[in-house]
Amino acid sequence: MDVPVLYFILILVLIVRQNNCTNDKSEEQESCGCNALNRGRESDATVCAQTETYANFDHDKYGAVANSNNNNRTNKMIFIKGGVFTMGTDKPVFVADGEGPSRKVTLTDYFMDVFEVSNAEFEIFVNSTGYKTEAEKFGDSFVFETLLSEETKAGITQAVAAAPWWLPVKGSNWKHPYGPDSNVKGRMDHPVVHVSWNDAAAYCKWAGKRLPTEAEWEHACRAGLSGRLFPWGNKLLPRGKHRVNIWQGQFPSDNTAEDGYTATAPVTQFPANAYGLHNMIGNVWEWTSDWWETKHKATHLHNPVGPPGGSDKVKKGGSYLCHESYCYRYRCAARSQNTPDSSAGNLGFRCAATTLPEYLQPRR
Protein backbone atom coordinates (compact mmCIF):
# COMPACT_ATOMS: atom_id res chain seq x y z
CA MET A 1 0.00 0.00 0.00
CA ASP A 2 1.31 3.47 -0.87
CA VAL A 3 2.55 5.69 1.97
CA PRO A 4 0.09 8.54 1.13
CA VAL A 5 -2.80 6.08 1.45
CA LEU A 6 -1.55 4.93 4.87
CA TYR A 7 -1.37 8.54 6.04
CA PHE A 8 -4.92 9.12 4.79
CA ILE A 9 -6.23 6.07 6.68
CA LEU A 10 -4.40 7.15 9.83
CA ILE A 11 -5.97 10.61 9.65
CA LEU A 12 -9.44 9.08 9.27
CA VAL A 13 -8.87 6.87 12.33
CA LEU A 14 -7.78 9.86 14.39
CA ILE A 15 -10.82 11.86 13.33
CA VAL A 16 -13.17 9.04 14.29
CA ARG A 17 -11.49 8.62 17.67
CA GLN A 18 -11.69 12.35 18.32
CA ASN A 19 -15.40 12.39 17.47
CA ASN A 20 -16.04 9.46 19.78
CA CYS A 21 -14.28 11.23 22.62
CA THR A 22 -16.26 14.41 21.98
CA ASN A 23 -19.66 12.75 21.82
CA ASP A 24 -19.25 10.17 24.57
CA LYS A 25 -16.60 11.05 27.11
CA SER A 26 -14.92 7.93 28.43
CA GLU A 27 -14.35 7.12 32.07
CA GLU A 28 -10.60 6.93 31.59
CA GLN A 29 -10.23 10.34 29.93
CA GLU A 30 -13.01 12.33 31.57
CA SER A 31 -13.23 11.23 35.17
CA CYS A 32 -11.66 12.52 38.36
CA GLY A 33 -11.16 8.84 39.16
CA CYS A 34 -13.69 8.85 42.00
CA ASN A 35 -15.51 5.77 40.73
CA ALA A 36 -12.21 3.85 40.72
CA LEU A 37 -11.85 4.18 44.49
CA ASN A 38 -13.35 0.81 45.35
CA ARG A 39 -12.68 -1.79 47.98
CA GLY A 40 -13.83 -5.42 47.83
CA ARG A 41 -17.45 -6.38 47.42
CA GLU A 42 -19.59 -6.67 50.54
CA SER A 43 -22.57 -9.01 50.73
CA ASP A 44 -26.09 -7.74 51.35
CA ALA A 45 -26.12 -9.66 54.64
CA THR A 46 -23.12 -7.68 55.89
CA VAL A 47 -24.77 -4.38 55.01
CA CYS A 48 -27.98 -5.33 56.80
CA ALA A 49 -26.12 -6.52 59.87
CA GLN A 50 -24.19 -3.26 60.17
CA THR A 51 -27.17 -0.96 59.72
CA GLU A 52 -29.45 -2.97 62.02
CA THR A 53 -27.01 -2.57 64.93
CA TYR A 54 -28.12 1.04 65.46
CA ALA A 55 -31.81 0.64 64.65
CA ASN A 56 -32.89 1.25 68.26
CA PHE A 57 -32.65 4.99 68.65
CA ASP A 58 -33.46 7.11 71.71
CA HIS A 59 -35.04 10.24 70.21
CA ASP A 60 -35.10 12.17 73.48
CA LYS A 61 -31.45 11.40 74.22
CA TYR A 62 -30.36 12.32 70.70
CA GLY A 63 -32.20 15.62 70.85
CA ALA A 64 -30.36 16.52 74.06
CA VAL A 65 -26.86 15.43 73.07
CA ALA A 66 -24.37 18.23 72.44
CA ASN A 67 -21.22 17.80 70.40
CA SER A 68 -17.81 18.64 71.79
CA ASN A 69 -17.46 21.86 69.80
CA ASN A 70 -20.92 23.26 70.62
CA ASN A 71 -21.72 23.83 66.96
CA ASN A 72 -25.20 24.83 65.91
CA ARG A 73 -27.16 21.76 64.93
CA THR A 74 -27.42 21.15 61.18
CA ASN A 75 -29.65 18.07 61.24
CA LYS A 76 -32.71 20.02 60.06
CA MET A 77 -35.06 18.46 57.51
CA ILE A 78 -37.40 20.14 55.05
CA PHE A 79 -40.68 18.89 53.62
CA ILE A 80 -40.59 18.28 49.88
CA LYS A 81 -43.87 17.97 48.03
CA GLY A 82 -44.00 15.01 45.70
CA GLY A 83 -45.44 14.95 42.21
CA VAL A 84 -44.23 14.42 38.67
CA PHE A 85 -40.80 15.56 37.52
CA THR A 86 -38.44 14.79 34.65
CA MET A 87 -35.45 12.68 35.70
CA GLY A 88 -32.30 12.21 33.62
CA THR A 89 -31.48 14.00 30.37
CA ASP A 90 -31.69 13.52 26.62
CA LYS A 91 -28.41 15.44 26.29
CA PRO A 92 -26.05 13.28 28.35
CA VAL A 93 -22.44 14.30 28.85
CA PHE A 94 -21.40 10.82 29.96
CA VAL A 95 -23.52 8.36 28.01
CA ALA A 96 -21.88 5.36 29.69
CA ASP A 97 -23.05 6.64 33.10
CA GLY A 98 -26.69 6.17 32.18
CA GLU A 99 -27.59 9.86 32.42
CA GLY A 100 -30.36 9.35 29.88
CA PRO A 101 -32.94 9.10 28.62
CA SER A 102 -35.18 11.64 30.31
CA ARG A 103 -38.22 10.02 31.86
CA LYS A 104 -41.23 11.06 33.91
CA VAL A 105 -41.15 10.06 37.57
CA THR A 106 -43.89 10.41 40.16
CA LEU A 107 -42.83 10.69 43.81
CA THR A 108 -44.82 10.80 47.02
CA ASP A 109 -44.04 13.47 49.62
CA TYR A 110 -40.82 13.10 51.60
CA PHE A 111 -38.35 14.97 53.78
CA MET A 112 -34.72 15.76 53.00
CA ASP A 113 -31.83 17.01 55.14
CA VAL A 114 -31.24 20.70 54.51
CA PHE A 115 -27.49 20.14 54.84
CA GLU A 116 -24.98 17.40 54.18
CA VAL A 117 -24.20 15.51 57.39
CA SER A 118 -21.44 17.46 59.13
CA ASN A 119 -18.51 16.32 61.23
CA ALA A 120 -20.33 17.70 64.27
CA GLU A 121 -23.44 15.61 63.59
CA PHE A 122 -21.42 12.50 62.83
CA GLU A 123 -19.48 12.98 66.06
CA ILE A 124 -22.74 12.83 68.01
CA PHE A 125 -23.54 9.54 66.31
CA VAL A 126 -20.10 8.09 67.08
CA ASN A 127 -20.10 9.30 70.68
CA SER A 128 -23.58 7.90 71.24
CA THR A 129 -22.96 4.47 69.73
CA GLY A 130 -19.23 3.78 69.59
CA TYR A 131 -19.57 3.17 65.86
CA LYS A 132 -16.38 2.65 63.87
CA THR A 133 -16.38 3.51 60.18
CA GLU A 134 -15.12 1.10 57.59
CA ALA A 135 -12.15 3.37 56.86
CA GLU A 136 -11.16 2.95 60.51
CA LYS A 137 -11.62 -0.81 60.32
CA PHE A 138 -9.69 -1.17 57.06
CA GLY A 139 -7.02 1.22 58.35
CA ASP A 140 -6.90 3.51 55.31
CA SER A 141 -8.90 5.56 52.84
CA PHE A 142 -8.31 7.55 49.65
CA VAL A 143 -7.10 11.17 49.80
CA PHE A 144 -6.40 13.65 47.02
CA GLU A 145 -2.63 14.11 46.75
CA THR A 146 -2.42 17.91 47.05
CA LEU A 147 -4.26 17.86 50.40
CA LEU A 148 -1.62 15.71 52.09
CA SER A 149 1.41 16.94 53.99
CA GLU A 150 4.81 16.26 52.45
CA GLU A 151 5.63 14.01 55.39
CA THR A 152 2.57 11.84 54.76
CA LYS A 153 3.16 11.68 51.01
CA ALA A 154 6.73 10.58 51.56
CA GLY A 155 5.55 7.32 53.10
CA ILE A 156 3.12 6.39 50.31
CA THR A 157 4.25 4.11 47.51
CA GLN A 158 0.92 3.32 45.84
CA ALA A 159 -1.64 5.27 43.81
CA VAL A 160 -4.82 4.60 41.86
CA ALA A 161 -3.74 3.58 38.36
CA ALA A 162 -6.60 5.38 36.59
CA ALA A 163 -6.14 8.51 38.72
CA PRO A 164 -2.64 8.84 40.24
CA TRP A 165 -3.69 11.92 42.24
CA TRP A 166 -5.70 9.62 44.51
CA LEU A 167 -3.57 7.96 47.18
CA PRO A 168 -4.50 5.24 49.70
CA VAL A 169 -3.45 6.77 53.01
CA LYS A 170 -3.10 4.76 56.20
CA GLY A 171 -4.74 6.44 59.16
CA SER A 172 -7.12 8.52 57.04
CA ASN A 173 -10.73 8.47 58.20
CA TRP A 174 -13.49 10.90 59.14
CA LYS A 175 -11.46 12.20 62.11
CA HIS A 176 -8.29 12.54 60.01
CA PRO A 177 -9.54 13.58 56.56
CA TYR A 178 -6.17 14.51 55.04
CA GLY A 179 -3.91 11.90 56.57
CA PRO A 180 -3.05 10.86 60.14
CA ASP A 181 -1.45 14.25 60.88
CA SER A 182 -4.72 16.10 60.14
CA ASN A 183 -7.90 16.46 62.19
CA VAL A 184 -11.37 18.01 62.03
CA LYS A 185 -10.64 20.78 64.51
CA GLY A 186 -12.03 23.93 62.96
CA ARG A 187 -13.95 21.82 60.42
CA MET A 188 -16.84 20.59 62.56
CA ASP A 189 -19.32 22.40 60.28
CA HIS A 190 -17.80 20.78 57.17
CA PRO A 191 -19.34 17.63 55.67
CA VAL A 192 -18.10 14.37 57.13
CA VAL A 193 -16.02 12.45 54.59
CA HIS A 194 -14.43 9.00 54.36
CA VAL A 195 -17.85 7.45 55.01
CA SER A 196 -18.84 4.35 53.07
CA TRP A 197 -22.39 3.61 51.96
CA ASN A 198 -22.60 1.19 54.86
CA ASP A 199 -21.51 3.92 57.29
CA ALA A 200 -24.01 6.40 55.84
CA ALA A 201 -26.85 3.87 56.01
CA ALA A 202 -25.98 3.09 59.65
CA TYR A 203 -26.05 6.79 60.57
CA CYS A 204 -29.39 7.37 58.83
CA LYS A 205 -30.89 4.29 60.49
CA TRP A 206 -29.73 5.47 63.90
CA ALA A 207 -31.13 8.95 63.28
CA GLY A 208 -34.56 7.58 62.38
CA LYS A 209 -34.02 8.47 58.73
CA ARG A 210 -32.81 6.72 55.56
CA LEU A 211 -30.72 7.43 52.50
CA PRO A 212 -32.65 9.11 49.67
CA THR A 213 -33.45 7.21 46.51
CA GLU A 214 -31.69 8.51 43.42
CA ALA A 215 -35.03 9.83 42.15
CA GLU A 216 -35.70 11.69 45.41
CA TRP A 217 -32.20 13.12 45.37
CA GLU A 218 -32.49 14.35 41.78
CA HIS A 219 -35.97 15.76 42.36
CA ALA A 220 -34.64 17.67 45.36
CA CYS A 221 -31.63 18.89 43.37
CA ARG A 222 -33.77 20.23 40.51
CA ALA A 223 -36.04 22.08 42.93
CA GLY A 224 -38.87 22.46 40.44
CA LEU A 225 -36.73 23.35 37.43
CA SER A 226 -37.04 21.07 34.42
CA GLY A 227 -34.21 20.38 32.00
CA ARG A 228 -31.69 22.62 33.76
CA LEU A 229 -28.09 21.70 34.49
CA PHE A 230 -27.83 23.02 38.03
CA PRO A 231 -30.25 23.52 40.93
CA TRP A 232 -30.64 27.19 39.97
CA GLY A 233 -30.50 27.08 36.16
CA ASN A 234 -27.94 26.71 33.39
CA LYS A 235 -25.40 29.40 34.29
CA LEU A 236 -22.60 28.20 36.53
CA LEU A 237 -21.92 31.71 37.83
CA PRO A 238 -25.21 33.61 37.85
CA ARG A 239 -24.43 37.33 38.14
CA GLY A 240 -20.80 36.34 38.56
CA LYS A 241 -21.40 34.73 41.96
CA HIS A 242 -20.18 31.32 43.07
CA ARG A 243 -22.98 29.02 44.18
CA VAL A 244 -21.09 25.74 44.37
CA ASN A 245 -17.78 24.40 45.71
CA ILE A 246 -15.94 22.84 42.77
CA TRP A 247 -12.46 23.01 41.23
CA GLN A 248 -11.27 26.20 39.55
CA GLY A 249 -8.07 26.20 37.50
CA GLN A 250 -6.33 23.35 35.73
CA PHE A 251 -7.22 19.92 37.06
CA PRO A 252 -5.39 18.20 38.73
CA SER A 253 -2.37 20.48 39.09
CA ASP A 254 -3.72 23.96 39.89
CA ASN A 255 -6.71 24.82 42.04
CA THR A 256 -7.13 28.59 42.20
CA ALA A 257 -9.90 28.24 44.82
CA GLU A 258 -11.83 31.19 43.41
CA ASP A 259 -14.91 29.95 45.28
CA GLY A 260 -12.97 30.23 48.53
CA TYR A 261 -12.16 26.56 49.12
CA THR A 262 -9.51 24.08 48.02
CA ALA A 263 -11.29 21.23 49.80
CA THR A 264 -14.64 20.99 51.58
CA ALA A 265 -16.72 24.02 52.51
CA PRO A 266 -19.06 24.32 55.52
CA VAL A 267 -22.36 22.56 54.93
CA THR A 268 -24.14 25.88 55.45
CA GLN A 269 -22.09 27.67 52.78
CA PHE A 270 -23.47 28.92 49.44
CA PRO A 271 -27.10 29.83 48.72
CA ALA A 272 -29.84 27.23 49.05
CA ASN A 273 -31.90 26.10 46.07
CA ALA A 274 -35.61 26.85 45.72
CA TYR A 275 -36.44 23.95 48.05
CA GLY A 276 -34.16 25.35 50.76
CA LEU A 277 -31.39 22.75 50.35
CA HIS A 278 -27.70 23.67 50.50
CA ASN A 279 -24.83 22.15 48.49
CA MET A 280 -26.88 19.70 46.46
CA ILE A 281 -24.06 19.79 43.93
CA GLY A 282 -20.34 20.15 44.60
CA ASN A 283 -18.66 19.99 48.01
CA VAL A 284 -18.95 16.19 48.46
CA TRP A 285 -20.48 13.31 46.56
CA GLU A 286 -23.64 12.06 48.27
CA TRP A 287 -24.68 8.42 48.59
CA THR A 288 -28.17 7.32 47.55
CA SER A 289 -29.96 4.08 48.38
CA ASP A 290 -30.09 2.78 44.77
CA TRP A 291 -27.97 0.03 43.31
CA TRP A 292 -26.16 1.13 40.15
CA GLU A 293 -27.55 0.47 36.69
CA THR A 294 -27.06 2.31 33.38
CA LYS A 295 -29.89 0.98 31.21
CA HIS A 296 -33.01 3.09 31.66
CA LYS A 297 -36.30 3.18 29.78
CA ALA A 298 -38.21 6.33 28.92
CA THR A 299 -41.30 5.08 30.74
CA HIS A 300 -43.22 6.78 33.53
CA LEU A 301 -42.07 5.45 36.91
CA HIS A 302 -43.67 5.72 40.35
CA ASN A 303 -41.36 5.97 43.37
CA PRO A 304 -38.49 4.08 41.71
CA VAL A 305 -35.94 2.50 44.03
CA GLY A 306 -33.44 1.14 41.50
CA PRO A 307 -32.64 -2.50 40.76
CA PRO A 308 -33.01 -5.15 43.50
CA GLY A 309 -29.27 -5.76 43.75
CA GLY A 310 -25.85 -5.08 42.31
CA SER A 311 -22.22 -4.47 43.16
CA ASP A 312 -22.15 -0.64 43.34
CA LYS A 313 -24.29 2.08 44.87
CA VAL A 314 -25.26 5.34 43.14
CA LYS A 315 -23.75 8.61 44.30
CA LYS A 316 -24.84 12.04 43.12
CA GLY A 317 -23.79 15.68 43.03
CA GLY A 318 -20.08 15.74 42.29
CA SER A 319 -17.55 17.26 44.68
CA TYR A 320 -14.99 20.00 45.30
CA LEU A 321 -12.69 18.11 42.88
CA CYS A 322 -15.01 18.35 39.87
CA HIS A 323 -14.23 20.58 36.88
CA GLU A 324 -15.99 20.81 33.53
CA SER A 325 -12.82 19.85 31.70
CA TYR A 326 -12.39 16.58 33.58
CA CYS A 327 -15.30 15.52 35.77
CA TYR A 328 -18.38 17.44 34.71
CA ARG A 329 -20.61 15.59 37.15
CA TYR A 330 -21.82 18.47 39.31
CA ARG A 331 -25.08 18.46 37.34
CA CYS A 332 -28.41 17.26 38.71
CA ALA A 333 -28.64 14.53 36.04
CA ALA A 334 -25.05 13.35 36.48
CA ARG A 335 -24.27 10.22 38.47
CA SER A 336 -21.45 7.91 39.46
CA GLN A 337 -20.90 4.83 41.61
CA ASN A 338 -18.75 3.03 44.17
CA THR A 339 -18.89 -0.22 46.10
CA PRO A 340 -20.82 0.04 49.40
CA ASP A 341 -17.66 -0.28 51.49
CA SER A 342 -15.62 2.36 49.61
CA SER A 343 -14.62 5.69 51.13
CA ALA A 344 -12.71 8.79 50.08
CA GLY A 345 -11.97 12.35 51.09
CA ASN A 346 -14.73 13.75 48.88
CA LEU A 347 -17.51 11.28 49.67
CA GLY A 348 -20.27 12.14 52.14
CA PHE A 349 -24.06 12.01 52.38
CA ARG A 350 -27.32 13.49 53.55
CA CYS A 351 -30.43 11.70 54.80
CA ALA A 352 -34.06 11.57 53.74
CA ALA A 353 -37.21 10.38 55.50
CA THR A 354 -40.72 9.36 54.57
CA THR A 355 -42.07 10.99 57.73
CA LEU A 356 -40.34 13.55 59.91
CA PRO A 357 -38.62 11.90 62.91
CA GLU A 358 -40.39 12.75 66.15
CA TYR A 359 -37.39 14.47 67.71
CA LEU A 360 -37.26 16.93 64.79
CA GLN A 361 -40.94 17.84 64.97
CA PRO A 362 -41.82 21.25 66.41
CA ARG A 363 -42.20 21.32 70.19
CA ARG A 364 -45.76 21.86 71.39
Side-chain angles (χ1 to χ4, degrees), residues 186-227:
R187 299 191 185 97
M188 295 305 289
D189 59 347
H190 286 230
V192 64
V193 292
H194 298 293
V195 285
S196 68
W197 185 93
N198 296 326
D199 299 330
Y203 174 96
C204 291
K205 186 86 170 183
W206 169 81
K209 306 177 184 181
R210 59 176 172 79
L211 285 170
T213 65
E214 182 180 5
E216 288 174 333
W217 190 100
E218 189 166 326
H219 175 249
C221 180
R222 293 184 179 280
L225 297 179
S226 180

Side-chain angles (χ1 to χ4, degrees), residues 57 59-60 62-63 75-79 111 207-209 353-364:
F57 172 56
H59 297 307
D60 293 331
Y62 179 76
N75 62 338
K76 304 175 181 66
M77 302 195 86
I78 198 163
F79 173 77
F111 292 83
K209 306 177 184 181
T354 304
T355 58
L356 189 66
E358 182 181 353
Y359 66 95
L360 289 178
Q361 295 178 11
R363 302 284 185 181
R364 295 181 180 178

Side-chain angles (χ1 to χ4, degrees), residues 40-291:
R41 309 291 179 174
E42 288 283 356
S43 68
D44 291 354
T46 301
V47 174
C48 292
Q50 289 178 324
T51 57
E52 189 66 25
T53 303
Y54 300 101
N56 297 323
F57 172 56
D58 187 333
H59 297 307
D60 293 331
K61 178 181 178 182
Y62 179 76
V65 170
N67 58 68
S68 63
N69 291 61
N70 295 318
N71 285 276
N72 291 328
R73 299 300 300 274
T74 56
N75 62 338
K76 304 175 181 66
M77 302 195 86
I78 198 163
F79 173 77
I80 297 180
K81 182 67 177 175
V84 181
F85 84 105
T86 301
M87 184 176 179
T89 178
D90 289 326
K91 298 180 180 179
V93 176
F94 300 102
V95 176
D97 283 355
E99 294 181 359
S102 63
R103 59 253 187 219
K104 295 295 183 182
V105 172
T106 297
L107 295 175
T108 54
D109 301 345
Y110 62 102
F111 292 83
M112 182 76 89
D113 281 356
V114 173
F115 308 105
E116 295 156 329
V117 175
S118 67
N119 285 314
E121 297 293 345
F122 201 76
E123 182 188 63
I124 296 173
F125 165 55
V126 170
N127 288 346
S128 299
T129 64
Y131 184 87
K132 286 192 178 297
T133 62
E134 294 197 285
E136 292 172 282
K137 294 175 182 177
F138 282 114
D140 63 14
S141 189
F142 293 100
V143 184
F144 197 76
E145 180 182 18
T146 60
L147 300 176
L148 296 169
S149 68
E150 292 301 320
E151 181 179 358
T152 297
K153 282 193 288 188
I156 299 173
T157 58
Q158 294 178 310
V160 177
W165 42 85
W166 280 109
L167 303 177
V169 182
K170 292 187 182 301
S172 283
N173 52 58
W174 78 272
K175 292 181 290 187
H176 305 286
Y178 311 125
D181 54 357
S182 68
N183 57 60
V184 292
K185 183 178 181 180
R187 299 191 185 97
M188 295 305 289
D189 59 347
H190 286 230
V192 64
V193 292
H194 298 293
V195 285
S196 68
W197 185 93
N198 296 326
D199 299 330
Y203 174 96
C204 291
K205 186 86 170 183
W206 169 81
K209 306 177 184 181
R210 59 176 172 79
L211 285 170
T213 65
E214 182 180 5
E216 288 174 333
W217 190 100
E218 189 166 326
H219 175 249
C221 180
R222 293 184 179 280
L225 297 179
S226 180
R228 298 296 187 266
L229 296 172
F230 312 121
W232 54 85
N234 286 330
K235 291 185 177 179
L236 180 61
L237 298 174
R239 299 180 181 178
K241 302 292 185 181
H242 289 281
R243 298 178 67 99
V244 58
N245 177 21
I246 55 174
W247 186 286
Q248 291 90 41
Q250 186 69 35
F251 185 88
S253 59
D254 178 34
N255 187 353
T256 61
E258 294 170 18
D259 57 19
Y261 301 94
T262 55
T264 57
V267 298
T268 56
Q269 189 61 278
F270 299 105
N273 69 7
Y275 284 175
L277 306 170
H278 291 258
N279 290 295
M280 286 300 293
I281 62 172
N283 216 22
V284 293
W285 283 100
E286 299 182 15
W287 289 112
T288 73
S289 61
D290 292 31
W291 289 106

